Amino acid sequence: MSTQFFTKLSQNYLELLKDDKYYDTTIEVGEDPNVKIFRTHKNILCYRSPYLRRILDSNNRNNNTNDLVHIRLPNISSEIFQIIL
């Protein structure tokens, strides 16, 4: 039972990476002409990455809205960031 649950949960997280409707954060990585934008979810980023949590916390202090958050990380390639995600 629990194995099936965790398998389904893992599949749901993978589906979130492909979500183009309910995301609340975009992360732009790389430099021209190799820029890629990832659509992500603040809650997951905050709990999975202390680094991204600090960035998002800083953004919340500077911009007290619930609008779409955009983060730029030009010093990381899209290939590496895909692995990180």
Side-chain angles (χ1 to χ4, degrees):
M1 165 87 176
S2 65
T3 304
Q4 291 175 348
F5 170 77
F6 288 117
T7 301
K8 181 64 176 171
L9 182 62
S10 295
Q11 182 61 39
N12 292 144
Y13 279 121
L14 290 172
E15 291 168 7
L16 282 173
L17 290 173
K18 300 173 189 167
D19 179 15
D20 63 354
K21 187 173 180 181
Y22 297 109
Y23 63 94
D24 57 5
T25 307
T26 57
I27 301 177
E28 180 180 332
V29 298
E31 294 185 17
D32 285 334
N34 299 317
V35 172
K36 183 170 181 180
I37 296 177
F38 293 87
R39 295 177 179 105
T40 61
H41 305 272
K42 277 189 270 193
N43 287 336
I44 294 172
L45 294 175
C46 284
Y47 286 96
R48 297 294 297 165
S49 169
Y51 172 73
L52 291 172
R53 175 179 270 206
R54 285 191 300 275
I55 291 174
L56 290 165
D57 283 345
S58 173
N59 184 66
N60 282 342
R61 278 191 295 266
N62 296 333
N63 182 9
N64 211 6
T65 67
N66 290 328
D67 294 336
L68 181 70
V69 174
H70 184 74
I71 299 170
R72 289 194 72 242
L73 302 173
N75 297 328
I76 187 168
S77 72
S78 61
E79 294 85 6
I80 297 297
F81 195 74
Q82 180 69 48
I83 292 168
I84 291 169
L85 277 183

